[in-house]
Amino acid sequence: MTLQNELDEARAALHRLITGTSTVSIQRDGKRVEFKPADRADLEAYIDRLEQRSGHGLGRRRGPAGVVA
C-alpha cells in the first residue's frame, strides 16, 4: 500500500467516524486498527503524521488560541 493510499484510507475513516459510523477500521502493515468516536484525536494525529511524511499539511493544525490579557 502506498503512502497516498494510506492517507486516503485514513481520511475516509475519519469521514465515516465524524458522520456517524461508530467504529471504523483500517489495515496497515498487515494489522487491523479500529477507531471509535473517542479515538477521533488519535485518528486525526495519524492523518497528520501521514501528511507530514507525504509532504502535505505541514503546520496545518494548531492548538487552540490563548487569550492575551
Side-chain angles (χ1 to χ4, degrees):
M1 181 179 287
T2 69
L3 180 58
Q4 186 59 50
N5 289 348
E6 288 179 19
L7 187 52
D8 292 342
E9 186 176 307
R11 286 178 177 153
L14 180 60
H15 175 77
R16 289 191 308 272
L17 189 67
I18 290 171
T19 58
T21 302
S22 62
T23 302
V24 296
S25 63
I26 57 176
Q27 291 270 132
R28 181 166 184 216
D29 300 328
K31 298 178 185 174
R32 180 182 168 107
V33 179
E34 290 189 3
F35 294 93
K36 297 179 177 135
D39 300 323
R40 179 178 171 176
D42 293 337
L43 182 53
E44 288 173 338
Y46 174 64
I47 291 170
D48 284 343
R49 286 191 306 272
L50 290 174
E51 287 175 340
Q52 288 174 2
R53 285 179 45 205
S54 70
H56 295 92
L58 298 175
R60 186 174 72 89
R61 294 184 192 244
R62 297 182 182 192
V67 176
V68 178

